[in-house]
Amino acid sequence: AQTVTQSQPEMSVQEAETVTLSCTYDTSESDYYLFWYKQPPSRQMILVIRQEAYKQQNATENRFSVNFQKAAKSFSLKISDSQLGDAAMYFCASSTGTASKLTFGTGTRLQVTL
Amino acid sequence: KAGVTQTPRYLIKTRGQQVTLSCSPISGHRSVSWYQQTPGQGLQFLFEYFSETQRNKGNFPGRFSGRQFSNSRSEMNVSTLELGDSALYLCASSLTDSMNTEAFFGQGTRLTVV
């Protein structure tokens, strides 16, 4: 069984600053993917970034990057140059076996202030 | 390209009734999965379909069922509704059932049971 834990229910960041959202996971599988999804008030889940467990290099997508520590089973998301549009719920998730069977964390609500 | 379409967007049902929710995946996508999102339990996997076959099922009672048609559209049904079934039901589609394929989410159906 997989578990995903997000210990920060809420975070706040000033516009243009950097924020890091934490996530830890547990799985007995050797091959798996990790994801960060964003859920704005519109409720639609949007993929922010993903990381394959076999890849050593941390994934990066524009202002979003991850710090993947496989031994520690940690997968944090760093958002640089935060923008008002980044305000949303952020979910960390993992998958093994199939693309669409995702295990989600409880989410972190990110506020972006002026 | 149209995204994942879920209908209806909002639904109010009475306890004891049954309900059917619909999900039309992105054209060409063959895998569809369903999730239940509640404030108390978070995002929980319901089931996954690929090429009309149920591949995985989450830990939900038998009142929750689903199916996938030959055009990949999927429906989920909940019978004998309970107040606790009130939730946002999210559908996701992916091109294949492979783990490295991105899952795209619809905007969800908000079900309220009264």
Side-chain angles (χ1 to χ4, degrees), chain A residues 6 21 36-48 64 77 79 85-92 104-111, chain B residues 6 9 35-39 42-44 87-91 105-110:
Chain A
Q6 294 179 252
L21 308 184
W36 278 98
Y37 278 91
K38 169 185 175 181
Q39 187 178 39
S42 67
R43 308 178 321 200
Q44 187 159 17
M45 300 283 278
I46 301 164
L47 178 65
V48 175
F64 299 87
L77 174 69
I79 306 174
D86 295 334
M89 281 290 287
Y90 284 82
F91 291 94
C92 180
F104 287 91
T106 51
T108 297
R109 182 173 300 282
L110 178 66
Q111 285 187 313
Chain B
Q6 292 189 245
R9 292 288 305 279
Y35 295 84
Q36 182 196 64
Q37 185 175 20
T38 60
L43 280 150
Q44 294 186 284
L88 178 66
Y89 289 88
L90 291 168
C91 167
F105 284 80
Q107 289 191 284
T109 293
R110 171 77 65 187

Side-chain angles (χ1 to χ4, degrees), chain B residues 26-113:
Chain B
I26 292 172
S27 178
H29 284 198
R30 296 167 61 195
S31 177
V32 172
S33 58
W34 290 88
Y35 295 84
Q36 182 196 64
Q37 185 175 20
T38 60
Q41 299 297 317
L43 280 150
Q44 294 186 284
F45 171 79
L46 279 157
F47 25 64
E48 176 192 6
Y49 288 87
F50 180 76
S51 294
E52 302 178 67
T53 302
Q54 187 179 89
R55 290 297 186 90
N56 288 291
K57 190 177 193 304
N59 190 24
F60 279 82
R63 301 183 298 105
F64 290 81
S65 63
R67 59 179 176 169
Q68 186 181 33
F69 302 95
S70 58
N71 62 357
S72 294
R73 190 178 70 87
S74 177
E75 289 181 347
M76 67 162 280
N77 185 76
V78 188
S79 62
T80 320
L81 283 165
E82 300 177 358
L83 296 179
D85 297 333
S86 294
L88 178 66
Y89 289 88
L90 291 168
C91 167
S93 79
S94 55
L95 193 59
T96 71
D97 62 345
S98 172
M99 190 168 42
N100 62 1
T101 307
E102 181 178 347
F104 294 83
F105 284 80
Q107 289 191 284
T109 293
R110 171 77 65 187
L111 171 66
T112 302
V113 182

